[in-house]
Amino acid sequence: MKKFALQSVGISALVMMAVSGCSGSTGSTDAASPEATATPTPTVAKKYTNEELIGLVKQIKPKSGKELTVASSEELAQENPIKALLSMFTIEPAECKDLATLGGNTTLAGSTTAAGADLDAESGVMTMVTLTSGLDKQKLQDSIDQSGAQAQKCAKMTLSMAGQSMNVSTEEFDGISAVPGTVAYKTEMSSASGSKQTTYMAYAIKDGVLISATASGKGAEASGVATASDLMEQAAALIK
């Protein structure tokens, strides 16, 4: 199943994502009243169907040259194994226990969504791009703002289970995508043994479509950031 492929490819990487106007008239010298200036009609952004978003995702090509593993809105809305995995950990601060996934496979109620993922078999780095439409721009912006608030509230966390613990830190990150308005974060997980894994997450709204891109895995900063940025910019170019 495509859902299984998308959620199981680089599952350790996905765990990282989980923890982590007016116008006026000119003056007149005669007695006649100035002509009223018509108020411009606001441009309404197109709302894409699930099928249209899947079609856009299929046009996006990762640097590897392979086809992205594509998942539809229905597949993404199915039960996410990451949440079940997180429930096994003790998370501090406690208020971060119910933290929604930052950059994970979450869907917004009432939206249409499609996603595509790519795994670099050599480096183990996974990149993913997700397109969300069908909602007012403000609701999409609220989603971005919520992710930012979560990142700030849970900038430092500790995950522990069976006597083992991991430190998780999240901070804002510059360097993903040239799409105007992009907001990005870097989440790093480190274990007591010194093992580290990093996830980069970016969000931007283009003509009423929320574009999110992620790169996760050991060494993600070396190639994943550039790949995620490229996926995001390709997606923005397709939204017209």
Side-chain angles (χ1 to χ4, degrees):
M1 294 175 63
K2 288 187 294 181
K3 170 182 176 290
F4 177 81
L6 184 63
Q7 293 187 336
S8 62
V9 168
I11 187 65
S12 60
L14 286 175
V15 171
M16 284 292 298
M17 295 178 196
V19 300
S20 51
C22 64
S23 61
S25 58
T26 56
S28 174
T29 57
D30 57 29
S33 299
E35 290 186 12
T37 302
T39 301
T41 302
T43 300
V44 178
K46 176 180 177 178
K47 293 187 177 181
Y48 291 83
T49 65
N50 287 323
E51 291 72 20
E52 288 173 327
L53 290 179
I54 289 173
L56 293 179
V57 171
K58 287 182 177 180
Q59 295 180 59
I60 301 172
K61 304 300 180 185
K63 292 180 178 295
S64 65
K66 300 184 300 182
E67 297 289 331
L68 291 175
T69 299
V70 180
S72 67
S73 177
E74 291 79 7
E75 291 168 320
L76 292 172
Q78 294 181 39
E79 184 177 355
N80 193 330
I82 302 171
K83 291 184 178 180
L85 183 61
L86 279 179
S87 68
M88 300 170 63
F89 286 88
T90 297
I91 300 177
E92 295 292 341
E95 58 265 30
C96 297
K97 177 68 176 180
D98 296 324
L99 182 70
T101 56
L102 291 173
N105 298 343
T106 56
T107 57
L108 300 177
S111 70
T112 54
T113 309
D118 178 60
L119 175 67
D120 186 318
E122 184 175 347
S123 66
V125 173
M126 191 189 77
T127 51
M128 179 162 58
V129 61
T130 305
L131 305 181
T132 300
S133 180
L135 298 177
D136 293 337
K137 181 178 178 180
Q138 186 57 53
K139 290 185 178 180
L140 297 177
Q141 185 62 53
D142 289 344
S143 176
I144 295 178
D145 293 343
Q146 181 183 22
S147 291
Q150 290 171 345
Q152 183 175 19
K153 180 179 71 174
C154 301
K156 299 291 183 182
M157 296 190 298
T158 300
L159 277 66
S160 57
M161 179 174 62
Q164 301 296 318
S165 65
M166 293 171 285
N167 294 319
V168 182
S169 63
T170 299
E171 61 184 9
E172 289 192 36
F173 177 78
D174 293 325
I176 296 183
S177 177
V179 178
T182 296
V183 177
Y185 301 94
K186 172 185 176 180
T187 297
E188 184 174 81
M189 176 184 285
S190 59
S191 66
S193 65
S195 177
K196 293 183 178 181
Q197 184 165 296
T198 308
T199 294
Y200 296 87
M201 302 152 283
Y203 310 88
I205 297 173
K206 167 70 182 296
D207 294 340
V209 177
L210 172 61
I211 308 169
S212 62
T214 62
S216 188
K218 294 180 179 179
E221 65 277 4
S223 61
V225 168
T227 300
S229 179
D230 182 60
L231 295 179
M232 199 168 189
E233 289 166 15
Q234 286 187 61
L238 291 169
I239 299 168
K240 301 175 182 179

